[in-house]
């Protein structure tokens, strides 16, 4: 009845609409002509204005130009004025005509306007009703609606078993639903969407039942109880029907905007936590393939089943990996080709299947970890098995890092904080055991690090292996901070042990401690260049910037002065004792800034590019390396000082030798025939050689190189200052001293370098000056003295620096060389 009344009203209004339409057309014609005239007048007025402006320009320009130009400008002005008069008359005439037409037809427009608007509104209502009827299957008169989209045809096709025809109608309905999504007709959008969702549910339910029957026919899932894992005992017709149903499900896929309104309630035997929602697959056939395995999983690993033991998490991890391996080939050869044919080339059946199975693990872990976290052994075992599972499924089965990971359970707030606490607890306990063990500072071979140092590196490497695959950089940075904390704790322990062993550094564990410190420093240097730790340095710099910005924001907020007259004045707040205790124990602004920076780093920081990695300066271990390098240098200097002290204690007789009247036995006139060391230098050389060779056997090569060079440099200065400069040398004494140095002292260091004399430059150059022939020595001394007396005038003649360089004396300055030349006793011929 409503439809008939609506149609009769529409017919009456259509006749009236034709009359009104004719009138409107006539009015439009009149007004169209008037509007054209007005546009022409407007153009003439604009042209007149432009002409006037141009005239004014020309008049101003003409005041400085020749009279002929002024004349032309005047003529142009006169013509413009005449033109202006003509245009003004035309404008007045047109204005009069327009006003007359408005007065004549204005009332008519007022009379027919409401009717025209009503007709248009009814036209929209009719179109709306036709659209609804077409979708519902009652009418098919609209050109904008494609043939075969109505619900009646879909229902008829399903009733006779024409599934392909029903899916064609469904796809047309889907396109219509997509087309109306942006419409402001909210009820129409809701109607079309609900119709689409209804048929989606009907088709899904119909195909799901048959899909599950086919799965049973092919003996899915392929467990070890089946006759064959990779080749199921099923007919080709069943396999083909499974592929066909898979294609049907793919054609039923909903766009994201509509699918969000049709979010299904999970039919899992166990309630899914919020964290498992990211693992829901959007591919319905994959979900149906996972569902039988889901039932098996929760049957065996929940409740009071003997297989559900929290102390054996590896059981369900292993089971999931077995299922992936058993079904991998079937997904690749049967399901993936269907996805490719239906335009889902970017969707991997294997990955979606693994994602569904990982969801089961996530649900199980989310339920078990809160229960076992207070048992450190079981908790550690569960964490380690989770990490092993994540590594295995990624490396062996190719589960992409871009997909949701089982590690997301371990990085949940409470669980992650507990994980860090347990790592720190066990690491500190292990370090206590390492340092206090009887063989802690013993090494397998000389020159290697002690056992405790090697085990510390293994401990740090194990921590790195556990956290390096965590997806969020903020979580990795917290583990990195734990590693740096452990390194600093070990450094403090090394300092304590080092001080107790310092009294007798050669026979105690002092060299082993030094080797251990060097080994840790070298290892940290190697780690600093690894791409993983370079990336961590990039994130550390990002974290520092974010933390600094957050701290500044908190500081500016704290410094804001609030008006005391406000009803929200903090001074008016009243706290009870419990509130005050909470405030007193709340986190500091620095901790708040740090936590906020870590969360921001997890959310907003992308993986660094190659160019960003190249711009990273320093490494995450720079501070720790500096501290260990300082200890290493201090310990090397301590050993060098000990050796030098032993040598100096035996140098007193040699220092007291009378070099100014040394007698050469049996060869008083031929100083070149000296072939024996001074007896007083032998104890000195003996202890020096013994200590250096002993240290070479027990120290790492780089450490020993540092040590003997320090000893050589110290001895060089000591011999120069305490032996050479503290006595006078005759020619015989200088020759004997040269023999002691070149045949006694230098060869000891010749075992460590090819040119040991280069490390005793002061001694070497002093020996050269002490053994120069007398004429050469006199000439060189006079040259230096003349230069000292009058440097300005003498610089034009010869340079004492060049003169000394001719005798291979380059380190000693002229004044120092003059001092050495003056301690010689020049025997008279």
């Amino acid at each position: 009845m409503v439809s008939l009344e609506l149609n009769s009203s529409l017919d009456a209004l259509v006749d009236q609409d034709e009359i009104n339409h004719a009138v409107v057309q006539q009015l439009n014609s009149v007004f169209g002509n008037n509007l054209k005239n007005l546009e022409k007048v407007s153009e003439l007025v604009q042209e007149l204005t432009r002409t006037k402006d141009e005239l004014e320009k020309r008049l101003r320009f003409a005041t400085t130009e020749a009279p002929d130009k002024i004349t032309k400008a005047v003529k142009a002005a006169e013509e413009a004025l005449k033109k202006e008069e003509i245009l003004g008359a035309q404008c007045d005439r047109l204005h009069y005509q327009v006003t007359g037409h408005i007065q004549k037809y204005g009332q008519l427009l007022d009379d027919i306007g409401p009717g025209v608007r009503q007709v248009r509104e009814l036209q929209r209502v009719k179109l709306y009703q036709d659209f609804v009827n077409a979708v519902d299957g009652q009418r098919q008169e609209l050109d904008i609606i494609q043939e075969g989209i109505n619900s009646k045809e879909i229902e008829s096709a399903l009733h006779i078993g024409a599934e392909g025809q029903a899916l064609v109608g469904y796809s047309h309905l889907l396109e219509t639903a997509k087309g109306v999504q942006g419409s402001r007709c909210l009820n129409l959008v809701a109607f079309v969407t609900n119709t689409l969702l209804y048929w989606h549910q009907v088709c899904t339910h119909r195909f799901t039942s048959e899909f599950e029957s086919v799965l049973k026919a092919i003996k899915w899932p392929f467990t070890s109880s089946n006759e064959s894992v990779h080749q199921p005992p099923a007919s080709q017709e069943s396999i083909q029907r499974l592929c066909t149903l898979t294609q049907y499900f793919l054609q039923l896929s909903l766009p994201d905007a509509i699918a969000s309104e049709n979010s299904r309630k999970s039919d899992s035997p166990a309630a899914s936590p919020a964290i498992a929602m990211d693992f829901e697959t959007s591919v319905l056939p994959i979900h149906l393939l996972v569902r039988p395995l889901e039932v098996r999983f929760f049957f065996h690993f929940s409740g009071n089943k003997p297989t559900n033991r929290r102390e054996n998490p590896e059981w369900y991890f292993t089971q999931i990996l077995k299922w992936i391996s058993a079904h991998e080939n079937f997904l690749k050869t049967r399901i993936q080709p269907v996805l490719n044919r239906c335009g889902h080339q970017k969707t991997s059946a294997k990955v979606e299947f693994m994602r569904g199975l990982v969801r089961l693990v996530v649900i199980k872990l989310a339920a078990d970890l809160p229960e076992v976290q207070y048992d450190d052994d079981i908790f550690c075992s569960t964490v380690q098995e989770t990490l092993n599972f994540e590594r295995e499924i990624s490396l062996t089965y190719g589960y992409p890092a871009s997909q949701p990971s089982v590690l997301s359970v371990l990085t949940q707030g409470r669980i992650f904080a507990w994980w860090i606490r347990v790592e720190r607890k066990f690491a500190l306990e292990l370090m206590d055991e390492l340092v206090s063990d009887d063989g802690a500072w013993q090494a397998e071979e000389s020159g290697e690090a002690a056992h405790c140092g090697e085990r510390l590196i293994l401990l740090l490497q194990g921590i790195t292996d556990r956290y390096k695959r965590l997806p969020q950089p903020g979580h990795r940075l917290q583990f990195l901070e734990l590693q740096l904390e452990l390194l600093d704790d070990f450094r403090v322990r090394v300092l304590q042990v080092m001080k107790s062993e310092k009294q007798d550094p050669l026979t105690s564990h002092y060299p082993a401690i030094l080797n251990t410190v060097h080994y840790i420093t070298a290892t940290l240097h190697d780690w600093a260049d690894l791409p993983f730790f370079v990336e961590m340095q990039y994130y550390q710099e990002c974290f520092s910037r974010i933390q600094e910005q957050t701290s500044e924001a908190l500081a500016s907020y704290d410094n804001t002065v609030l008006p005391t007259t406000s009803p929200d004045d903090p001074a008016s707040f009243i706290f009870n004792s419990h509130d005050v205790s909470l405030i007193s124990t709340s986190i500091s602004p620095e901790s708040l800034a740090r936590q906020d920076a870590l969360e921001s780093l997890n959310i907003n920081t992308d993986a660094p590019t190659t160019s960003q990695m190249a711009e990273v300066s320093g490494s995450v271990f720079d501070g720790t390396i500096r501290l260990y390098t300082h200890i290493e240098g201090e310990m090397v200097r301590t050993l060098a000082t000990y050796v030098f002290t032993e040598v100096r204690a035996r140098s007193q007789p040699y220092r007291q030798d009378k070099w100014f009247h040394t007698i050469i036995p049996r060869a008083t006139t031929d100083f070149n025939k000296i072939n024996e060391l001074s007896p007083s230098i032998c104890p000195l050389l003996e202890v020096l050689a013994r200590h250096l060779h002993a240290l070479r056997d027990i120290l790492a090569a780089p450490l020993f190189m540092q040590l003997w060079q320090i000893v050589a440099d110290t001895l060089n200065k000591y011999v120069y200052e305490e032996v050479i400069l503290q006595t006078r040398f005759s020619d015989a004494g200088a020759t004997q001293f040269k023999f002691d140095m070149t045949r006694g002292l230098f060869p000891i260091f010749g075992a460590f370098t090819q040119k040991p004399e280069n490390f005793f430059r002061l001694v070497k150059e002093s020996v050269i000056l002490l053994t120069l022939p007398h004429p050469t020595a006199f000439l060189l001394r006079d040259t230096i003295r003349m230069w000292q007396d009058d440097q300005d005038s003498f610089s034009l003649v010869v340079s004492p620096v060049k003169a000394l360089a001719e005798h291979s004396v380059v380190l000693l300055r002229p004044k120092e060389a003059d001092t050495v030349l003056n301690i010689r006793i020049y025997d008279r011929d």
Side-chain angles (χ1 to χ4, degrees):
M1 291 298 294
V2 175
S3 178
L4 293 174
E5 293 177 359
L6 177 62
N7 291 332
S8 61
S9 300
L10 285 173
D11 294 336
L13 286 172
V14 166
D15 296 335
Q16 181 65 32
D17 180 42
E18 294 177 352
I19 300 173
N20 293 339
H21 184 66
V23 175
V24 169
Q25 286 182 345
Q26 183 179 1
L27 288 174
N28 288 338
S29 176
V30 173
F31 278 107
N33 295 330
N34 290 337
L35 288 174
K36 291 180 180 178
N37 292 332
L38 284 175
E39 291 176 356
K40 184 176 181 181
V41 171
S42 176
E43 292 176 357
L44 292 174
V45 171
Q46 293 178 359
E47 183 179 357
L48 177 60
T49 303
R50 290 193 298 270
T51 304
K52 185 178 179 181
D53 294 339
E54 183 66 23
L55 175 60
E56 292 177 353
K57 283 184 182 179
R58 292 181 179 181
L59 287 175
R60 288 193 299 269
F61 180 75
T63 56
T64 60
E65 298 294 332
D68 56 342
K69 293 185 178 181
I70 296 176
T71 303
K72 291 180 181 179
V74 171
K75 290 181 180 181
E78 291 176 353
E79 292 177 358
L81 291 175
K82 291 179 182 179
K83 196 173 183 179
E84 180 183 8
E85 293 177 357
I86 296 173
L87 291 175
Q90 292 179 354
C91 181
D92 293 339
R93 185 169 58 257
L94 290 173
H95 180 72
Y96 176 77
Q97 293 176 356
V98 170
T99 303
H101 283 299
I102 292 175
Q103 292 176 354
K104 182 177 180 180
Y105 297 105
Q107 184 61 39
L108 179 60
L109 288 175
D110 293 340
D111 294 339
I112 67 173
V116 172
R117 286 191 294 272
Q118 187 177 7
V119 169
R120 292 177 178 174
E121 183 68 24
L122 289 173
Q123 287 177 338
R124 287 194 293 269
V125 171
K126 185 174 182 297
L127 179 63
Y128 188 99
Q129 184 64 42
D130 290 343
F131 194 99
V132 172
N133 291 338
V135 172
D136 198 36
Q138 298 179 12
R139 298 180 63 183
Q140 299 182 22
E141 300 176 358
L142 292 181
D143 294 336
I144 64 170
I145 302 181
Q146 302 178 16
E147 183 180 357
I149 69 166
N150 58 75
S151 300
K152 294 294 185 182
E153 290 197 1
I154 298 176
E155 182 179 7
S156 300
L158 290 176
H159 182 70
I160 63 177
E163 298 165 343
Q165 183 179 352
L167 288 174
V168 171
Y170 175 86
S171 63
H172 292 160
L173 183 59
L174 176 62
E175 293 299 323
T176 303
K178 292 180 181 178
V180 301
Q181 287 303 307
S183 173
R184 290 181 294 177
C185 301
L186 300 182
N187 292 329
L188 177 64
V189 174
F191 172 76
V192 177
T193 302
N194 290 335
T195 303
L196 176 68
L197 294 178
Y198 169 77
W199 288 115
H200 177 271
Q201 182 179 3
V202 170
C203 295
T204 300
H205 179 73
R206 179 188 180 100
F207 297 148
T208 298
S209 300
E210 186 176 358
F211 193 89
E212 292 175 347
S213 300
V214 174
L215 290 180
K216 292 179 181 178
I218 66 173
K219 298 184 179 181
W220 179 277
F222 307 146
T223 59
S224 58
S225 60
N226 287 345
E227 297 178 0
S228 175
V229 171
H230 299 291
Q231 297 295 331
S235 63
Q236 186 63 29
E237 291 77 8
S238 299
I239 297 296
Q240 186 60 39
R241 186 56 182 169
L242 180 69
C243 295
T244 302
L245 291 173
T246 300
Q247 182 175 347
Y248 288 168
F249 280 125
L250 295 176
Q251 294 177 5
L252 288 174
S253 299
L254 295 172
D256 294 338
I258 301 178
S260 61
E261 303 178 12
N262 191 41
S263 55
R264 295 178 290 103
K265 294 183 179 180
S266 175
D267 53 359
S268 170
S272 299
I275 191 176
M277 299 304 295
D278 293 337
F279 296 84
E280 293 286 353
T281 177
S282 59
V283 184
L284 183 55
I286 301 299
H287 172 75
L288 296 177
L289 292 175
V290 172
R291 187 156 60 182
L293 296 172
E294 181 177 351
V295 174
R296 289 171 178 260
F297 182 87
F298 288 109
F299 175 82
H300 290 291
F301 302 109
S302 62
N304 297 324
K305 301 295 188 300
T307 51
N308 182 35
R309 302 182 61 180
R310 292 191 175 96
E311 61 270 20
N312 297 110
E314 67 275 8
W315 289 357
Y316 57 82
F317 285 125
T318 303
Q319 185 61 65
I320 292 293
L321 294 176
K322 287 181 178 179
W323 285 343
I324 294 174
S325 177
H327 300 88
E328 181 179 9
N329 184 62
F330 180 84
L331 293 168
K332 181 180 179 180
T333 57
R334 299 296 185 181
I335 305 300
Q336 188 61 49
V338 180
L339 292 174
N340 296 339
R341 289 197 303 269
C342 295
H344 294 266
Q345 293 86 352
K346 295 183 179 180
T347 302
S348 171
K350 176 184 173 182
V351 171
E352 292 294 328
F353 183 76
M354 288 192 293
R355 180 174 174 176
L357 293 182
V358 170
R359 170 180 169 272
L360 308 181
V361 175
V362 168
I363 295 174
K364 176 65 175 172
L365 278 176
D368 286 356
L369 281 175
E371 301 294 331
V372 304
Q373 69 176 8
Y374 299 106
D375 188 324
D376 290 343
D377 293 333
I378 299 179
F379 180 82
C380 289
S381 174
T382 304
V383 170
Q384 188 60 55
E385 291 298 332
T386 304
L387 296 173
N388 294 340
F389 171 79
E390 196 277 337
R391 184 182 298 107
E392 180 73 13
I393 197 175
S394 299
L395 300 181
T396 304
Y397 298 101
Y399 188 70
S402 58
Q403 293 292 327
S405 170
V406 68
L407 298 180
S408 58
V409 183
L410 299 181
T411 54
Q412 295 299 299
R414 281 181 54 191
I415 301 299
F416 184 76
W418 196 264
W419 182 12
I420 289 283
R421 188 199 70 83
V422 172
E423 286 279 2
R424 179 180 289 104
K425 172 188 174 184
F426 281 105
L428 292 176
E429 290 178 356
L430 180 59
M431 281 208 297
D432 289 337
E433 179 182 345
L434 293 179
V435 177
S436 60
D437 189 68
D438 294 337
W441 299 107
Q442 296 177 0
E444 293 291 339
E445 296 181 4
S446 298
E448 294 185 352
H451 295 311
C452 61
E454 293 179 346
R455 294 181 66 183
L456 172 67
I457 295 300
L458 292 177
L459 169 65
L460 297 176
Q461 185 63 56
I463 295 175
T464 302
D465 292 339
R466 283 191 288 275
Y467 80 81
K468 70 184 304 181
R469 299 185 64 85
L470 294 180
Q472 300 297 341
H475 297 138
R476 281 178 271 158
L477 282 179
Q478 294 183 62
F479 269 102
L480 178 63
E481 291 177 1
L482 172 61
Q483 288 180 304
L484 297 178
E485 178 185 337
L486 296 176
L487 283 167
D488 192 65
D489 185 88
F490 186 78
R491 180 185 63 85
V492 174
R493 297 169 188 262
V494 166
L495 288 174
Q496 295 172 349
V497 178
M498 180 191 72
K499 292 179 181 179
S500 64
E501 303 285 342
K502 194 175 181 179
Q503 301 299 325
D504 189 8
L506 290 185
T507 59
S508 64
H509 295 307
Y510 199 86
I513 297 173
L514 176 56
N515 287 333
T516 303
V517 172
H518 174 72
Y519 172 69
I520 294 174
T521 305
T523 302
L524 294 181
H525 272 296
D526 293 339
W527 285 359
D529 296 330
L530 296 177
F532 172 75
F533 287 108
V534 175
E535 182 179 339
M536 293 306 297
Q537 173 64 13
Y538 168 79
Y539 288 128
Q540 182 69 53
E541 293 176 359
C542 294
F543 168 73
S544 299
R545 288 195 298 269
I546 297 173
Q547 186 177 20
E548 182 179 354
Q549 294 170 1
T550 307
S551 299
E552 292 175 356
L554 290 173
S556 62
Y557 176 79
D558 292 339
N559 295 332
T560 302
V561 180
L562 298 176
T564 57
T565 58
S566 171
D568 296 329
D569 190 341
S572 62
F573 294 166
I574 300 176
F575 300 100
N576 56 34
S577 59
H578 177 68
D579 296 330
V580 173
S581 65
L582 289 177
I583 294 174
S584 63
T585 58
S586 63
I587 59 176
S588 63
E590 292 77 10
S591 300
L592 182 61
R594 178 180 180 278
Q595 187 63 30
D596 183 74
L598 287 172
E599 293 176 358
S600 178
L601 190 67
N602 285 337
I603 297 173
N604 301 321
T605 303
D606 298 327
T609 61
T610 304
S611 59
Q612 290 174 329
M613 295 274 281
E615 295 175 357
V616 172
S617 59
S619 74
V620 293
F621 298 111
D622 281 350
T624 304
I625 289 175
R626 281 194 297 269
L627 294 174
Y628 273 88
T629 303
H630 175 75
I631 296 177
E632 178 183 315
E634 180 182 349
M635 296 183 72
V636 170
R637 287 190 295 271
T638 299
L639 285 174
T641 301
Y642 177 83
V643 173
F644 172 73
T645 302
E646 292 286 307
V647 172
R648 185 176 59 181
R650 290 161 178 77
S651 67
Q652 191 67 21
Y654 191 68
R655 292 175 56 194
Q656 296 176 355
D657 282 351
K658 298 179 180 180
W659 301 101
F660 52 87
H661 70 325
T662 299
I663 298 176
I664 306 302
R666 300 182 303 276
T668 57
T669 60
D670 190 358
F671 302 146
N672 294 326
K673 294 183 178 180
I674 297 177
N675 55 12
E676 293 182 0
L677 295 173
S678 300
S680 57
I681 200 175
C682 292
L684 179 152
L685 298 179
E686 186 273 334
V687 71
L688 175 63
R690 176 161 49 85
H691 286 339
L692 288 179
H693 284 81
L695 289 170
R696 183 177 62 175
D697 294 338
I698 61 177
L699 288 181
L703 294 174
F704 180 71
M705 181 177 291
Q706 296 180 44
L707 184 138
W708 74 255
Q709 290 179 2
I710 294 175
V711 172
D713 182 68
T714 307
L715 278 175
N716 179 43
K717 295 177 181 178
Y718 176 75
V719 173
Y720 175 73
E721 295 174 357
E722 300 297 331
V723 178
I724 297 175
L725 297 183
Q726 299 302 322
T727 186
R728 303 194 68 185
F729 290 85
S730 62
D731 293 341
T735 304
Q736 180 65 53
F737 179 75
K738 177 181 179 180
F739 187 86
D740 293 342
M741 296 296 104
T742 57
R743 300 297 181 87
L745 181 61
F746 295 171
I748 293 178
F749 293 89
F752 319 131
T753 179
Q754 293 181 352
K755 294 184 177 182
E757 63 274 10
N758 289 340
F759 294 90
F760 293 87
R761 298 294 295 276
L762 292 175
V763 174
K764 175 186 174 182
E765 294 182 4
S766 297
V767 167
I768 291 173
L769 295 176
L770 291 175
T771 57
L772 283 174
H774 287 188
T776 304
F778 291 150
L779 180 59
L780 186 58
R781 185 178 62 180
D782 292 342
T783 300
I784 295 174
R785 289 180 179 178
M786 290 174 64
W787 175 79
Q788 291 176 340
D789 294 340
D790 191 358
Q791 295 184 12
D792 295 335
S793 61
F794 190 78
S795 60
L796 301 176
V797 180
V798 66
S799 169
V801 176
K802 292 183 179 180
L804 290 170
E806 292 177 357
H807 301 284
S808 301
V809 179
V810 294
L811 182 62
L812 292 175
R813 294 189 295 269
K815 185 176 181 180
E816 296 170 339
D818 183 57
T819 302
V820 174
L821 290 171
N822 287 333
I823 63 177
R824 289 187 59 174
I825 299 176
Y826 298 94
D827 300 332
R828 295 182 181 274
D829 296 335

